[in-house]
């Protein structure tokens, strides 16, 4: 049986409605979003650069729903090298994707996913700035409030929770393809249901998704349990120079490390999850050099420090316990700036 997301008995647990709090998104915003979408023939979808499961999964799920409503859909993300990360290639709906160069320059309606600010859209940012209407679907507490319609709930564990709501309100049916995309977002952003964001509403959503017959084990393997062999060598190099410095554990991965193994940048997402294991540390940092030579910095906290604030001070952002920023300085300078901000936090 494929449960219809419109079935109210299956959905008492929309984001924000599981506890006492009302959903953070006002009814008027949902209505405005639906009106705008209803009045458009073509909808442009964008998510943040270097998309993760929540960004790409939420975008593709809504893309499916819009297409089934007869809309023309173009979806993209604004990376200089346009390539779906290997670990997300199993997601259905990739035929919705176009490279940034083919993305409309002045869309009528653009929907932005999992992006706390327009800068996160990378090469698609000018399109968002030129769009007549920008609907923002997001859950970052650090969202700066860009766009013309804001479907933002900072209490939602994943943007996928808001995307599910949007699918439902569009009159879409929660089929296995849509559910697979949403599930990728939900498991990614809850750390496989381990983070404190994992509320009863999260598990109820997971139940709705799993009921469509999606392949839980296959999805988990694609997302976390496989890598090219070269990953082990790059990981070994990163762990070889890991430093425990007061309550901070950190390391870095260079382009040279990766080139020696032919390892794409996008394979590095899991390194932080190993580094942050160190019991002695409160904060973990991994600097990852991308193909352009910039450092993409991943930060994690165990709760005592708000790394979103630290990263925001350095031009980035994120969540209390998981955040990031980009640095064009050297490793030493970047870490010096990071430590200075960390001391203030
Ligand atoms: P990750 O370390 O997994 O790349 O990122 C963790 C979280 O930090 C992401 O969910 C994202 O919200 C945020 N984040 C990472 N890099 C950046 C950045 O450069 N700018 C902003 N605003 N947020 C980032
Ligand atoms: Mn997210």
């Amino acid at each position: 049986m494929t449960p219809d997301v419109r079935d109210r008995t299956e959905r008492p647990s929309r984001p924000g409605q599981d506890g006492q709090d009302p959903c953070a998104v006002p009814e008027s915003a949902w209505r405005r979003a639906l009106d705008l979408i209803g009045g458009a023939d073509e909808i442009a979808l964008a998510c943040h650069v270097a998309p993760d499961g929540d960004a790409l999964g939420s975008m593709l799920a809504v893309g499916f729903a819009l297409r089934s409503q007869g809309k023309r859909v173009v979806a993209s993300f604004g990376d200089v090298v346009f390539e779906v990360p290997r670990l997300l290639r199993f997601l259905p709906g990739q035929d919705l994707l176009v490279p940034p160069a083919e993305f409309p320059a002045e869309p009528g309606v653009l929907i932005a996913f999992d992006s706390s600010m327009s800068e996160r859209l990378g090469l698609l940012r000018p399109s968002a700035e030129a769009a007549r209407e920008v609907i923002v679907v997001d859950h970052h507490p650090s969202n700066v409030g860009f766009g013309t319609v804001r479907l933002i709930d900072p209490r939602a564990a994943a943007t996928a929770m808001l995307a599910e709501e949007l699918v439902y309100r569009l009159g879409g049916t929660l089929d296995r393809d849509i559910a697979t995309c949403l599930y990728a977002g939900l498991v990614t952003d809850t750390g496989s249901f381990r983070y404190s964001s994992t509320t009863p509403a999260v598990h109820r959503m997971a139940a709705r998704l799993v009921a469509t017959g999606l392949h839980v084990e296959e999805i988990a393997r694609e997302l976390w349990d496989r890598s090219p062999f070269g990953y082990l060598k790059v990981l070994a190099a990163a762990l070889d120079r890991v430093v425990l410095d007061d309550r901070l554990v950190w390391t870095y991965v260079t382009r040279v490390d990766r080139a020696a193994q032919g390892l794409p940048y996008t394979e590095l997402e899991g390194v932080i999850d190993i580094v942050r294991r160190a019991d002695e540390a409160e904060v973990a940092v991994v600097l990852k050099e991308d193909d352009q030579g910039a450092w993409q910095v991943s930060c994690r906290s165990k709760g005592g420090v708000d790394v979103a604030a630290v990263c925001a001070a350095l031009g980035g952002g994120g969540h209390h316990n998981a955040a990031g920023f980009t640095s064009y300085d050297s490793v030493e300078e970047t870490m010096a700036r990071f430590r200075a901000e960390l001391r203030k936090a």
Side-chain angles (χ1 to χ4, degrees), residues 47 98 106 111 125 154 164 176 184 199 210 265 269 284 287 290 294 329:
C47 69
V98 300
E106 294 178 22
I111 311 181
R125 186 184 177 190
E164 187 203 18
R176 193 169 73 186
T199 57
V210 173
Y265 169 80
E269 216 170 278
L287 299 90
D290 67 20
D329 296 333

Side-chain angles (χ1 to χ4, degrees), residues 48-50 52 54 114-117 119-120 138-140 142 188-189 265 269 272 286 288 295-300 308 311-312 315-319 321-327:
H48 66 69
V49 291
D52 59 9
D54 194 31
D114 205 38
S115 303
S116 57
M117 49 185 175
E119 288 86 341
R120 292 283 287 151
D138 188 31
H139 71 129
H140 288 93
S142 58
T188 297
D189 272 31
Y265 169 80
E269 216 170 278
I272 186 72
V286 175
K288 301 170 288 186
W295 293 100
Q296 304 297 339
V297 185
S298 288
C299 308
R300 298 293 184 269
C311 292
H319 308 274
N321 290 351
F325 66 98
T326 303
S327 171

Side-chain angles (χ1 to χ4, degrees), residues 8-335:
R8 285 277 167 185
T9 60
E10 264 291 303
R11 327 190 70 264
S13 54
R14 302 207 305 269
Q17 299 199 335
D18 209 44
Q20 282 72 38
D21 296 333
C23 181
V25 179
E27 207 40 49
S28 57
W30 288 114
R31 262 201 310 275
R32 177 104 184 97
L34 287 191
D35 283 349
L36 292 175
I37 292 168
D41 296 326
E42 181 177 85
I43 312 282
L45 308 181
C47 69
H48 66 69
V49 291
D52 59 9
D54 194 31
L56 194 61
S58 299
M59 178 169 81
L60 294 178
V62 170
F64 271 119
L66 290 168
R67 192 162 61 179
S68 74
Q69 302 294 308
K71 303 292 180 190
R72 271 200 317 279
V73 178
V74 275
S76 190
F77 47 89
D79 283 288
V80 177
V81 179
F82 180 72
E83 197 176 47
V84 174
R86 194 265 305 152
L87 64 169
L88 296 177
R89 277 185 215 146
F90 74 95
L91 286 179
Q94 313 229 349
D95 55 307
L96 293 166
L97 295 172
V98 300
E102 292 167 34
F103 197 77
E106 294 178 22
V109 177
L110 180 145
I111 311 181
F113 293 88
D114 205 38
S115 303
S116 57
M117 49 185 175
S118 59
E119 288 86 341
R120 292 283 287 151
L121 299 174
L123 296 177
L124 302 184
R125 186 184 177 190
S127 292
E129 272 156 15
R132 219 169 28 246
E133 302 282 351
V134 177
I135 300 170
V136 175
V137 182
D138 188 31
H139 71 129
H140 288 93
S142 58
N143 193 291
V144 296
F146 75 107
T148 55
V149 182
R150 296 175 196 134
L151 310 178
I152 302 171
D153 187 347
R155 284 188 311 262
T159 293
M161 297 185 88
L162 292 144
E164 187 203 18
E165 176 82 27
L166 185 55
V167 167
Y168 150 73
R169 286 176 181 259
L170 286 167
T173 298
L174 191 64
D175 61 21
R176 193 169 73 186
D177 284 342
I178 292 182
T180 297
C181 292
L182 293 174
Y183 188 81
L186 198 62
V187 290
T188 297
D189 272 31
T190 59
S192 307
F193 310 111
R194 286 174 301 171
Y195 303 158
S196 63
S197 57
T198 309
T199 57
V202 166
H203 278 297
R204 277 201 278 273
M205 176 172 165
R208 289 192 291 278
L209 302 179
V210 173
T212 66
L214 55 74
H215 302 295
V216 170
E217 188 174 342
E218 239 169 73
I219 295 172
R221 189 168 46 241
E222 291 294 334
L223 287 174
W224 303 293
D225 294 340
R226 50 173 287 208
S227 300
F229 174 75
Y231 174 73
L232 300 178
K233 293 292 200 183
V234 169
L235 181 63
L239 293 181
D240 200 40
R241 48 187 178 239
V242 69
V243 175
L244 179 66
D245 173 5
D246 198 8
R247 301 271 288 149
L248 174 66
V249 62
W250 69 277
T251 190
Y252 60 95
V253 180
T254 66
R255 276 194 282 190
V256 174
D257 295 334
R258 288 192 293 108
Q261 302 297 330
L263 193 74
Y265 169 80
T266 54
E267 295 288 339
L268 300 179
E269 216 170 278
V271 177
I272 186 72
D273 291 318
I274 293 167
V275 172
R276 73 191 170 100
R277 295 182 66 90
D279 280 333
E280 294 81 353
E282 173 60 33
V283 172
V285 171
V286 175
L287 299 90
K288 301 170 288 186
E289 191 180 10
D290 67 20
D291 292 334
Q292 284 72 46
W295 293 100
Q296 304 297 339
V297 185
S298 288
C299 308
R300 298 293 184 269
S301 162
K302 288 178 184 157
V305 176
D306 180 3
V307 285
V310 175
C311 292
L314 298 166
H319 308 274
H320 189 282
N321 290 351
F325 66 98
T326 303
S327 171
Y328 303 93
D329 296 333
S330 68
V331 169
E332 293 70 27
E333 284 161 342
T334 303
M335 287 310 294

